[in-house]
């Protein structure tokens, strides 16, 4: 059974989420721009785990978690962004990073 976590503020989030937010804030004035880059010009407005992982590594050049636990750490961020567990992240859900 997977554990569900809820956070009341970004300061109480998992360290990986905090590092990801810092990465985004250093590169984008508006975090919604990073969502659009990952989703792509022909995107459907939703990002699944595969798109998220590939987008971070290839489109945003996110290397902060490079190593053997990279997939797990990226999955942890995705789970934070997808609290309902439906398997996709919408722009509305992404805005929690702002």
């Amino acid at each position: 059974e997977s554990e569900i976590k809820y956070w009341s503020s970004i300061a109480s989030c998992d360290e990986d989420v905090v590092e990801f937010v810092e990465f985004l804030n250093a590169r984008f004035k508006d975090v919604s721009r990073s969502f659009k880059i990952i989703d792509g010009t022909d995107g459907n407005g939703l990002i699944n785990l595969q798109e998220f992982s590939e987008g971070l590594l290839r489109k945003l050049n996110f290397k902060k978690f490079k190593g053997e636990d990279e997939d797990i750490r990226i999955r942890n961020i995705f789970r934070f962004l997808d609290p309902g567990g439906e398997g996709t992240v919408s722009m509305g859900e992404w805005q929690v990073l702002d």
Side-chain angles (χ1 to χ4, degrees), residues 8-9 12 14 18-19 21-22 43 62 64 72 87-88 90 93:
S8 59
S9 74
S12 64
D14 183 89
V18 174
E19 286 186 47
V21 169
E22 290 171 351
F62 184 75
K64 200 145 185 96
I72 292 167
T88 57
S90 68
E93 290 168 320

Side-chain angles (χ1 to χ4, degrees), residues 16-62:
D16 290 341
V17 174
V18 174
E19 286 186 47
F20 180 58
V21 169
E22 290 171 351
F23 169 84
L24 292 178
N25 286 331
R27 286 157 183 80
F28 300 97
K29 289 181 182 179
D30 180 4
V31 296
S32 65
R33 178 74 185 121
S34 58
F35 179 92
K36 292 173 186 172
I37 290 171
I38 293 171
D39 195 31
T41 55
D42 60 345
N44 64 354
L46 298 171
I47 297 172
N48 64 32
L49 178 57
Q50 181 178 348
E51 289 173 309
F52 180 69
S53 181
E54 290 174 2
L56 288 184
L57 301 175
R58 294 191 181 119
K59 295 179 180 179
L60 299 183
N61 201 29
F62 184 75

Side-chain angles (χ1 to χ4, degrees), residues 1-7 14 75-76 79-80 82-83:
E1 225 172 86
S2 63
E3 185 178 325
I4 297 174
K5 296 181 181 179
Y6 296 93
W7 292 271
D14 183 89
R75 241 181 280 130
N76 286 339
R79 281 200 320 250
F80 170 79
D82 180 27

